Every structure is written in structure tokens, then in C-alpha cells.
Amino acid sequence: MSTELSEGQDLDGLREHATDGTTRPSDICSGTAGSSMASIAEYYAGKSVLITGATGFMGKVLVEKLLRSCPEVKALYILVRPKAGQSMQQRVSDMMKCKLFDRVREDNPDFHQKIIPISSELMQPGLAISPEDVEKLTGCINIVFHCAATIRFDEPLKHALQLNVIATQQLLSLAQQMHHLEAFIHISTAYANCNRKHIDEVIYPPPVEPKKLIESLEWMDDGIVRDITPRLIGDRPNTYTYTKALAEYVVQQEQDKLNIGIIRPSIVGASWQEPFSGWIDNFNGPSGVFIAAGKGILRTMRANNDAVADLIPVDVVINLTLAAGWYTAVHRRKTEKQKNKPKTALVYNCTTGGINPFHWGEIEHHVMSSFKRNPLEQAFRRPNANITSNYLINQYWILVSHKFPALIYDLFLRLSGQKPQMMRIFNRLHKAIGLLEYFSSQDWEWNSENMSMLMSQLTPEDRKTFNFDVRQLNWPEYIENYCIGTKKYVLNEDMSDIPAARQHLRKLRNIRYTFNTLLVIFIWRVFIARSQMARNIWYFVVSLCFKFLSYFRASSTLTN
């Protein structure tokens, strides 16, 4: 569990070094909050920053926050790969047109001049950065934020290894050539060590030596790698968590040469406060689940109602990341003079479960309530998803509430000359939900001492500007804004159409009630035709209702 440190609390009494060489907050800090260090915005003023993964969800929020809250930052160099049919410049231009940058655009219409794209490809040797760009980067970069990674849970091992481990090695090699580098911040995941129930802010021994694994897989074809992957990842659920654990170890190996910080966010969700509530731009993780539930497609999900849903808002992660970059650079500058203390990577578990827990059952309730108040357009059915931890019950509801309606709808599409699609949609949904079951069915305990320590080092102004205090997070309000965010920013639906969407839900409700009534009458009539006892019960109920109505009418007459 986390240890909360109030402003000005002395940390001398917490001196205790981790046995694996990773620094705890008590090893590095004996001062008080608001020491003589420059503020975060002051530190980033005049700095050149390199960001990988800048066109991704977290990367965009990081770029926006730096430009808005650290307006004196000198330049943001972002590694971008050209995509098929879209040049590097087009991708960056499209990114800057995003609504996410509206606040920055108002303050500084020319903000794009500070963003300098660098052509790169993480799958290629040397990250495919040209010699001219290498020279430029090594001569000016002060801070590196490594956000790029594949987040697909079912990524083939070779591909995940290349993107999450080998690319990290190559970026570290580039960082060592940078003449003015002050901090290297690596974005990992809180689930890198999900095979443990209690996770401290330390780097655990890797499941295998990364160098040996890379060398072994080089000569294997994809089929062999696919066959041995389950044995390699062992008790981890997928290649994502496996390779992120290897990447942490790779980063740790350079801690004596670079000032390193590692951020471990849990399940990253929509923004809490910045730049505005509920911003989200993808279907990944909980966002896709929320949308499927809001559309009435998802009716059942296997999860533990009482398990903690460790969601973390993206702006919390980014605020912590920027604060960690500041602290890593400024604090290490001080401690470099202390020759008796080696450099060590500082790890931050960026989670909510141990500080402000919220459970899957509560999320289900608030998501359903939110989508009934603010429904999505053209819902397939009324939002009404249920969470169960029982496998057989879940399979029953999948059959009754997913597959059976999908078959009927696809039959209707075929008869009307259209291409059937609903069963394919449900199959994709089941695959996605299946990948999440591991994380929605159990609990973890994350230590968050370093997160608390870092908060204690911020000035009151920085605590407001770079707020990552999740104790202030109001979960019902956050979930409401999250659901609205999926409607506005992912599906691009207009909030003014909510009355029409509510009318559509009422129509679906009436159709459901009519169908259920007709189905009950049909089944009952079939049952009556085959059973004398059923007919007797039916006649008894009808006569009882008739007597009740007669009594009611007589009573009304006497009263009048």
C-alpha cells in the first residue's frame, strides 16, 4: 500500500535501500517539499525534448501539456514513421489539428513551430534515423521521453520484442551519445510484473536475459516462435507484459551512465481534467468496452465485481511523467557530487487501487447509468451489460444475449439483400474481452512511495499545474465524463442529438417489452395445449383476475 507523505515531512526516517539495487525514495531524499529546486515550468524553459510515440494517445497528451504548461520549452523533437499513403509531415499536421490542441492553439497559434518531426522507424536498425538527424539530436537534446511501444496484447513475440525491447536498446544507445542529456524517462506498465500480487517500485529480475532471447529468436521462423511463445512467457498473460518487463531490465542496465526514471501506469483511460474532461481518441482498453456497452452490443463480461479496476487518467500519467523528468534531472544534478552513491533508476508505480480504489462492479453501474442519460446514437439494444465471475453463467449470457440476437439480425440482413456483419462484430468483441479477462478478474497491490515522495517535492503551484494526486479523483464524475468523451471524441457524435438518441432507446425498450410478452404468451399457449394441469392453472388465474375486477367495481360503486 502507498505511504502518503505530507508537505514538509522529513524523509530521513525512511532510509532503506532495495536489495536489487533500485532506489527507494528514502535513499535519495532527506529534504522537505518545496526545496530550492526550480519549478517544473522553469526547468523545461529553453530545453530541447525528444519524444517517441508522440502520435499515439499518451504521446499527444504529453506534447500538448508541455506546450501549454511549459510555454518556454525550446523545441519538441518527435520521432515519426511515414505510413502508407501519408507522409511524416501529413501525420504531424493531422495531429496538430486535433481538438486536443485547442487550448494551446488559443494561447499560441504558432505552437507548431516548436514541433520538429524526425523520420524514424522502430523496426529498423538504428531506428532508421538519418546521420544528419542523429548529429542534430545528439547535439541539442536535454530530455528524452520514451513513450513508443506496441500495446497489442496478442502481438507476435518477435514483433513485440523488436518494438518494446530492441527499439528501447537502440534509443538508449542514441541517448548515450547526447552531449547535453539530463534525463531519460521510460514509460513502462504497472502490469510488467503482473505475475506477482504485490509489486514494489523496484525493477525485478527479468524472466530471461534479453540479449540471449534476441539472439535465439533471430534464426527461428515465425511458426517456431509462435509455438514456443506460451512456454517463454510462462505465468504472464501475453507478450505485451512479457516484453515490457524485459524492457525495464534493459533500461536498468544503463542506469550508471544515464539519469533514468521509469513510469508504470496501470490501465490508462480518458483525461480527468486536462486539457478538458473526458478526452479520449481510441477504442483501446476500457474505451472499446464502454462503447460496446453503450451501443447495447456488449451484454455480459467476465470479471470480478469486487476486484479493483485500476484505471488511471491519462493526464495524471503525463503530469507525473513531466514531474519525474524534472526531478530526475534536477535532483541527480545535486547528487552527482556525492561519489559514494551510484546512479539508480527511480521507478514510479502510477496507479489508483492502493490510494483511491474503485471496483469493476461500480464501473459497470456508472457506465450503464451514464449511457442511459447520455445515450449513443443508433444503439443496437438498450445498454444493459452485466458482470459475472462465473464462467458457465457468462457463456450462457453470451449465447442468449450475444450470439442468438446476432444470428437473427444477420438473417434479417441476408433476407433484405445486405451483407451479414453482426456475428463478425461479436466474434471480434469476444476476442477483445477475452484478452482483458486476466486484468478484470483479479487484484494487485502496488506500492506508490515514490509517487508520494515526488508529490511532496512539488511547490503548491506545481501541484496544481501538474496535478497527479489521485486522492482528489471523484470516480462517478470521472466515469460520466469518460462515457461522454467516447461519444464526443471517439464516435464524433453531437451532444445536441441526445434527445433523438433517448427516443431511440425508448423505441428499443418498447420493442423488447412487446417481444418478451409475445414470447411468454407463445410459450405458455404451447405449454397449455400439452398439459391439463397448465390449463387448470391458467383458468384459475384468469378466474381469479375476473373476480378481483368484479370486486373492485363493486367496491367503487358502494363508495360512490
Side-chain angles (χ1 to χ4, degrees):
M1 300 297 288
S2 64
T3 303
E4 302 297 341
L5 301 177
S6 59
E7 184 175 358
Q9 180 177 344
D10 195 323
L11 301 174
D12 285 334
L14 300 176
R15 295 184 182 279
E16 176 185 346
H17 198 273
T19 57
D20 60 359
T22 303
T23 305
R24 296 186 185 278
S26 48
D27 300 321
I28 61 173
C29 179
S30 59
T32 58
S35 60
S36 58
M37 291 188 282
S39 72
I40 295 177
E42 288 172 346
Y43 168 71
Y44 285 104
K47 296 292 192 297
S48 294
V49 181
L50 175 64
I51 301 173
T52 69
T55 57
F57 175 49
M58 287 179 55
K60 281 188 278 195
V61 180
L62 176 59
V63 170
E64 192 277 339
K65 179 65 176 179
L66 263 172
L67 291 170
R68 179 165 49 84
S69 297
C70 305
E72 300 304 316
V73 66
K74 183 178 181 181
L76 304 183
Y77 292 83
I78 62 175
L79 299 188
V80 184
R81 67 180 179 90
K83 277 188 173 180
Q86 198 175 28
S87 68
M88 176 184 69
Q89 288 77 12
Q90 286 175 321
R91 293 191 67 194
V92 175
S93 177
D94 289 346
M95 180 187 80
M96 291 187 291
K97 291 176 184 175
C98 176
K99 182 175 176 59
L100 175 70
F101 293 92
D102 283 356
R103 288 182 62 183
V104 175
R105 197 174 290 110
E106 290 176 8
D107 297 338
N108 179 16
D110 298 324
F111 75 93
H112 60 277
Q113 295 180 0
K114 290 190 176 184
I115 299 177
I116 304 172
I118 301 291
S119 180
S120 176
E121 173 55 71
L122 299 186
M123 295 292 290
Q124 299 298 322
L127 306 180
I129 303 175
S130 69
E132 296 79 14
D133 286 335
V134 168
E135 183 178 358
K136 183 191 302 181
L137 295 175
T138 54
C140 71
I141 294 300
N142 304 113
I143 307 105
V144 174
F145 292 107
H146 181 35
C147 305
T150 175
I151 58 173
R152 286 181 54 189
F153 289 169
D154 56 350
E155 193 80 75
L157 180 57
K158 261 190 176 181
H159 201 245
L161 195 68
Q162 176 67 49
L163 288 170
N164 292 346
V165 182
I166 298 175
T168 300
Q169 286 180 326
Q170 295 178 335
L171 186 65
L172 286 163
S173 177
L174 177 63
Q176 290 177 30
Q177 303 173 47
M178 295 176 179
H179 309 306
H180 308 290
L181 188 67
E182 299 174 10
F184 184 102
I185 305 299
H186 173 69
I187 307 297
S188 183
T189 172
Y191 297 99
N193 304 285
C194 58
N195 55 329
R196 300 171 179 268
K197 286 299 179 185
H198 183 87
I199 301 168
D200 285 316
E201 292 173 305
V202 301
I203 300 173
Y204 292 97
V208 66
E209 175 63 44
K211 184 179 179 181
K212 292 181 179 178
L213 178 64
I214 293 168
E215 291 173 351
S216 300
L217 296 186
E218 278 180 353
W219 60 269
M220 296 184 188
D221 63 36
D222 293 341
I224 295 175
V225 175
R226 184 173 58 251
D227 292 340
I228 66 173
T229 293
R231 294 192 64 182
L232 283 173
I233 65 176
D235 53 359
R236 284 179 169 83
N238 50 52
T239 57
Y240 170 69
T241 57
Y242 179 75
T243 54
K244 292 299 278 187
L246 297 179
E248 284 193 359
Y249 178 75
V250 165
V251 172
Q252 185 192 35
Q253 299 311 295
E254 308 301 327
Q255 64 184 4
D256 59 333
K257 303 171 187 174
L258 301 171
N259 296 331
I260 290 173
I262 296 176
I263 312 296
R264 285 181 182 158
S266 48
I267 305 172
V268 182
S271 62
W272 169 27
Q273 296 172 320
E274 299 180 277
F276 34 80
S277 300
W279 186 81
I280 184 78
D281 73 340
N282 60 74
F283 290 89
N284 298 331
S287 305
V289 175
F290 290 178
I291 291 171
K295 287 285 189 180
I297 296 174
L298 177 66
R299 311 293 285 181
T300 182
M301 176 178 171
R302 193 175 175 211
N304 183 352
N305 279 279
D306 298 323
V308 172
D310 213 300
L311 286 180
I312 189 81
V314 63
D315 48 335
V316 170
V317 181
I318 296 307
N319 286 339
L320 174 64
T321 298
L322 290 173
W326 159 82
Y327 186 76
T328 300
V330 175
H331 174 78
R332 296 303 168 85
R333 199 182 294 157
K334 288 183 174 185
T335 57
E336 276 176 355
K337 299 176 182 178
Q338 301 175 358
K339 300 298 182 181
N340 60 327
K341 285 191 176 183
K343 291 182 179 180
T344 48
L346 200 60
V347 180
Y348 301 87
N349 284 339
C350 187
T351 62
T352 57
I355 304 171
N356 185 2
F358 202 61
H359 304 87
W360 286 107
E362 294 174 290
I363 283 187
E364 179 266 327
H365 168 73
H366 288 290
V367 168
M368 292 301 99
S369 299
S370 177
F371 279 128
K372 286 174 182 176
R373 289 191 298 271
N374 306 289
L376 302 179
E377 296 175 12
Q378 297 302 312
F380 178 61
R381 298 174 71 183
R382 279 175 56 81
N384 189 26
N386 292 303
I387 288 179
T388 177
S389 58
N390 187 288
Y391 174 80
L392 293 177
I393 293 176
N394 184 58
Q395 290 300 308
Y396 167 78
W397 285 115
I398 285 177
L399 179 64
V400 172
S401 296
H402 286 182
K403 293 186 176 181
F404 182 63
L407 285 171
I408 293 177
Y409 191 76
D410 280 349
L411 177 61
F412 168 76
L413 291 176
R414 285 182 185 276
L415 293 175
S416 59
Q418 301 178 61
K419 186 178 179 180
Q421 58 178 350
M422 195 54 65
M423 185 57 76
R424 177 173 52 85
I425 291 174
F426 273 109
N427 288 336
R428 290 174 59 187
L429 177 64
H430 293 153
K431 182 180 179 182
I433 294 297
L435 295 172
L436 295 174
E437 280 184 7
Y438 179 89
F439 304 97
S440 60
S441 301
Q442 51 188 318
D443 281 310
W444 288 267
E445 290 182 4
W446 284 281
N447 182 304
S448 55
E449 272 189 15
N450 288 348
M451 193 172 170
S452 300
M453 176 279 298
L454 182 57
M455 195 182 305
S456 74
Q457 296 300 301
L458 303 186
T459 64
E461 292 75 17
D462 277 348
R463 289 192 191 186
K464 292 178 182 178
T465 307
F466 301 89
N467 182 21
F468 54 88
D469 186 358
V470 294
R471 293 171 299 182
Q472 302 172 15
L473 181 61
N474 181 304
W475 280 109
E477 180 183 332
Y478 173 70
I479 296 298
E480 175 96 7
N481 290 330
Y482 196 150
C483 293
I484 293 174
T486 61
K487 178 179 176 68
K488 292 170 62 177
Y489 309 122
V490 180
L491 301 177
N492 295 315
E493 294 182 2
D494 197 326
M495 295 297 287
S496 64
D497 293 333
I498 283 181
R502 288 175 181 161
Q503 179 63 32
H504 180 68
L505 287 193
R506 285 192 290 269
K507 180 181 175 182
L508 291 176
R509 180 196 60 194
N510 294 337
I511 292 173
R512 177 190 174 193
Y513 287 166
T514 302
F515 176 80
N516 289 346
T517 302
L518 293 175
L519 182 63
V520 169
I521 291 174
F522 174 77
I523 293 174
W524 183 243
R525 291 299 298 170
V526 170
F527 189 54
I528 287 175
R530 294 173 177 268
S531 170
Q532 180 63 45
M533 180 179 292
R535 285 197 294 272
N536 293 338
I537 294 174
W538 174 254
Y539 295 143
F540 173 75
V541 171
V542 170
S543 64
L544 194 63
C545 291
F546 180 75
K547 289 179 180 178
F548 174 77
L549 289 173
S550 300
Y551 174 77
F552 178 76
R553 288 174 182 171
S555 299
S556 299
T557 303
L558 289 173
T559 302
N560 292 333

